[in-house]
Each structure stands twice: as C-alpha cells, then as structure tokens.
Amino acid sequence: MAPHSSAGLPEGRPPSATAERESSPRLGQPPLVYRPRGPAGGGRGPPAPRRSPAPLPSPHPASARPAGGPRTARSHLPPPGRGGQGRAPEEDELRGKVVWVTGASSGIGEELAYQLSKIGALLAISARREDELERVKKKCLQISNLSEKDILVLRLDLTDRSSHEAATNSVLKHFGKIDVLVNNGGRSQRSLFVDTNLDVYSAIIELNYLGTISLTKHVLNHMIQRKKGKIVTVSSVMGIMGAPLASGYCASKHALQGFFNSLRTELTDYPGISIINICPGPVQSQIIQNVFTENLAKSIENSGDQSHKMPTDRCVRLTLVSTANDLKEAWISDHPYLAVCYLWQYAPTWAWWLMNRMGKRRIQNFKSGVDADASYSRKKK
C-alpha cells in the first residue's frame, strides 16, 4: 500500500509543503483535513493550530503509576495528611480488611504491620520467630485502636509446605475471610556463583519461590470462592534486572515475576481478584543481616552502612498506596537504581553495558566490607 493512500490522498503522491486535501466525508462524519506541519505556501497562511485534548484526571497517585506507563512508585508522594494526591488513599481501601503478612517479624513485613494497624486493618502476622511476632503485635496494639482479637500471631515456615493449608484455615477460622495476602517472606543473597554451593540455590528457590506460591495456592482458593481479594507479592528490582552477588536471589524473584504475571492472565474471569507485584530497590531493612552466603551454615560478617537506602517506612507507604490502587506492578526505589530499572526495560543493551561497570563496583564494595549497594556515584574520600 502506498503511503497515505488509505487517508484519501492519491497513490504515489505524498503531500507537499503546500498540499491540503479534503476527502469526501462519509455520512454523518466531518471531512478529513490534512494540513502541512511547516509554513504553508501558495498564500494559504499558517495551518490552524492543533488543540490537545484536556488531560483526564488519573485515579492513581503520580508516584505510583499502573503498569503500561512508567511503573514506578518513587518518593514523590507527600506524607499522609497533606491533602491532594498524597491523602493516604490506602486508609479508605484497607481499613477493616483482613490482611495476612508473611515475614512480619522484621524489616518491610514488620513495618507493614505497624502501618496497617494504624490504618485499622485486621492483621494476621506470620514468620518463623513467634517471640518476635509477639513483640510486633504488642507495638501494633500500642500505636493503634486495634484490640487483641484483631491481630492473629501465626507462626509459619514457608519451606514447610505441608503446613500451609492448616495455616490458611487458622486465619479463616479466626477472621472468617482473607482480603489481602502480602507475600513478603524471603531471604536475599550475597555470594559469587563460583564460590556458592548448589544447596544454597535450592534453599533460595524453596523459600522465596515455592514457599510463596504454595501459600498463595491455598489463599487463592478462598478468594476464588468469594470472587475478590488482593495478592500482593514483595518481589524486587532484582526480578527485573540481574546483578552480581545475587544470582540465586535474582533467579527466585524472576520466577515470582513470571509466575504472578501468568497467574494474572488465568484470573480474567475474576476481575475482583488483583495480582500486585511490588519491586523495591535497596531498602533500610534487616534483610542484609539474614542473607544467604556461599554455604548454608555461614552468615554475613559485616552488613555495612545502610543509610543510603530508602527508609523502610517510605517503601511500605508506597507499597500500601500501590495496593490500594490495584497496580499490577510498582517499582519502588530511588536513583540510580530506578534509572537502571528503566534501562533494563527499554534499553537492555545499554543496561548490560552499565551493569558490567556497576557490577565491578558492587563486588569491590562487598569484598572491602562496604554494603554492596552503596552509592555508585559517591566519590572516594
């Protein structure tokens, strides 16, 4: 087909700088007018200016855009109580809902429990350390209007998949329903592949991936019966890109991304069930103190300074905003990590080149006892 022929212009004759043609209008339609973009010749005068349609108001905060546009939930959002788009939309959406949070004894999961309790959500909090969960529950009761019965402490080992059905039934027996499951439990990694035993990779997949989808399966059966619910999975920017020292962790997060993106397509007959992937960048949490290393018996010796990372409360706030707005995927990070996410998405060749350079610094940081994610742009003193 010749250029422009379907638009009513003669084949083989592209419009010149002075060309203007009106096609014969169809019944009930205005004529199509084609005007040049440059200055008009032949005494016709300049073309009429185009009028851009007024932008439609977005239901999503500017810092937490839905998938399909920039999928970020960065730190532009004002704190609660300042009005405008930062007016804590999660409060109306999550107040009174039953939210089950795994990995709630520390880090992001612990902070989720605190912010959800302030909102007024009913909580089931799970982790392996029951004493730490009791500590979290005690603080939740102190900072909120919840009562004892509004918070269920439920010990859970994600690697013990045989216990997941009973755990789900315990939450349902206590609250009668599960509105939101937050898959937050998991562990990171700091070791080079050539130095790492394969059983470490098996343990990472068993915990981060298989444990997560096992629990999801039991909760999803309940949500399908109700035809509504939210499954929120705390993935990582490592589920989008690759990075040295975390090959097993990246693999587990890539697996979660692929699984939940596929599950979302299987639930098209259940529009009331939302699948939400949260991809945080480096966060000031306790995840570094509990990482996998080159063998299962070894722990990390020095976690390094964490002050350059996003504060945990900020990450959790944006996670709840993303959950309230049913975002399919949200990238929650500061620069330069957020910029790298965009490169991996839209310019992967440049991302591979950049990661080769940044990766060397990451390994050097780790070997010298500095946090691996320390700012790559910070000059040496």
Side-chain angles (χ1 to χ4, degrees):
M1 181 182 295
H4 308 287
S5 60
S6 63
L9 295 176
E11 293 191 11
R13 289 187 57 193
S16 67
T18 60
E20 181 178 277
R21 175 182 176 87
E22 296 187 7
S23 64
S24 300
R26 296 179 182 179
L27 183 63
Q29 293 182 336
L32 300 177
V33 180
Y34 298 90
R35 293 186 172 91
R37 294 185 179 181
R44 290 185 178 272
R50 294 184 177 182
R51 292 192 301 172
S52 300
L56 295 175
S58 172
H60 304 287
S63 59
R65 301 185 187 279
R71 296 177 290 181
T72 64
R74 197 172 170 264
S75 54
H76 301 305
L77 196 63
R82 292 192 180 181
Q85 290 185 328
R87 190 186 45 82
E90 69 273 20
E91 292 186 5
D92 293 335
E93 176 65 25
L94 298 175
R95 183 183 294 111
K97 298 295 178 65
V98 176
V99 184
W100 187 4
V101 181
T102 66
S105 61
S106 64
I108 291 175
E110 179 179 351
E111 182 62 27
L112 276 165
Y114 297 151
Q115 294 196 26
L116 285 165
S117 67
K118 291 179 181 178
I119 289 171
L122 309 180
L123 289 173
I125 52 176
S126 292
R128 292 176 300 168
R129 300 176 295 172
E130 191 169 354
D131 57 336
E132 289 297 302
L133 291 175
E134 291 291 349
R135 175 186 59 81
V136 173
K137 177 179 179 178
K138 182 178 180 180
K139 183 173 179 180
C140 286
L141 292 174
Q142 292 173 347
I143 64 177
S144 73
N145 294 322
L146 298 181
S147 63
E148 284 276 347
K149 63 181 178 60
D150 294 330
I151 305 177
L152 173 65
V153 168
L154 184 64
R155 186 186 180 280
L156 179 73
D157 184 350
L158 282 174
T159 63
D160 183 9
R161 285 180 269 152
S162 63
S163 68
H164 294 176
E165 183 177 8
T168 303
N169 290 336
S170 295
V171 179
L172 292 175
K173 181 179 179 180
H174 188 87
F175 291 111
K177 63 176 182 175
I178 300 171
D179 295 301
V180 183
L181 170 65
V182 182
N183 288 314
N184 174 70
R187 289 175 66 183
S188 188
Q189 177 195 8
R190 289 293 183 275
S191 61
L192 293 169
F193 172 65
V194 294
D195 300 328
T196 307
N197 297 333
L198 286 180
D199 57 355
V200 171
Y201 288 87
S202 177
I204 292 174
I205 293 297
E206 186 67 41
L207 172 60
N208 292 3
Y209 176 63
L210 292 176
T212 295
I213 68 172
S214 170
L215 187 63
T216 296
K217 186 174 181 65
H218 295 290
V219 175
L220 181 61
N221 289 334
H222 164 70
M223 291 182 175
I224 286 176
Q225 291 175 5
R226 298 180 67 215
K227 296 185 178 180
K228 62 180 179 180
K230 298 176 188 281
I231 296 176
V232 182
T233 300
V234 180
S235 179
S236 170
V237 295
M238 295 295 190
I240 300 168
M241 64 179 73
L245 299 170
S247 53
Y249 180 72
C250 287
S252 69
K253 295 302 184 178
H254 275 71
L256 287 175
Q257 291 286 109
F259 172 81
F260 283 104
N261 286 339
S262 299
L263 177 61
R264 190 184 296 110
T265 66
E266 295 183 8
L267 296 174
T268 54
D269 290 337
Y270 300 92
I273 299 178
S274 302
I275 302 296
I276 300 164
N277 293 336
I278 304 295
C279 301
V283 174
Q284 295 175 15
S285 70
Q286 295 178 341
I287 192 171
I288 299 301
Q289 286 88 334
N290 194 37
V291 296
F292 286 102
T293 61
E294 58 265 30
N295 65 71
L296 293 175
K298 183 180 178 181
S299 59
I300 193 168
E301 297 178 359
N302 184 9
S303 59
D305 178 36
Q306 305 290 307
S307 61
H308 58 279
K309 300 181 179 181
M310 176 180 282
T312 308
D313 61 344
R314 186 63 181 166
C315 175
V316 168
R317 171 83 207 290
L318 293 172
T319 296
L320 294 180
V321 170
S322 302
T323 300
N325 286 281
D326 287 330
L327 300 196
K328 293 180 175 65
E329 183 173 296
W331 303 347
I332 303 178
S333 184
D334 291 321
H335 288 305
Y337 318 103
L338 185 63
V340 177
C341 290
Y342 278 94
L343 281 178
W344 276 89
Q345 180 77 15
Y346 300 111
T349 301
W350 281 99
W352 295 329
W353 174 85
L354 180 61
M355 188 54 69
N356 285 339
R357 298 176 63 87
M358 295 176 66
K360 289 183 179 180
R361 175 70 65 85
R362 196 168 198 263
I363 295 172
Q364 291 171 0
N365 287 344
F366 177 71
K367 289 184 175 181
S368 62
V370 179
D371 182 76
D373 293 313
S375 175
Y376 298 98
S377 60
R378 186 176 296 162
K379 295 182 179 180
K380 294 182 180 180
K381 294 183 180 179

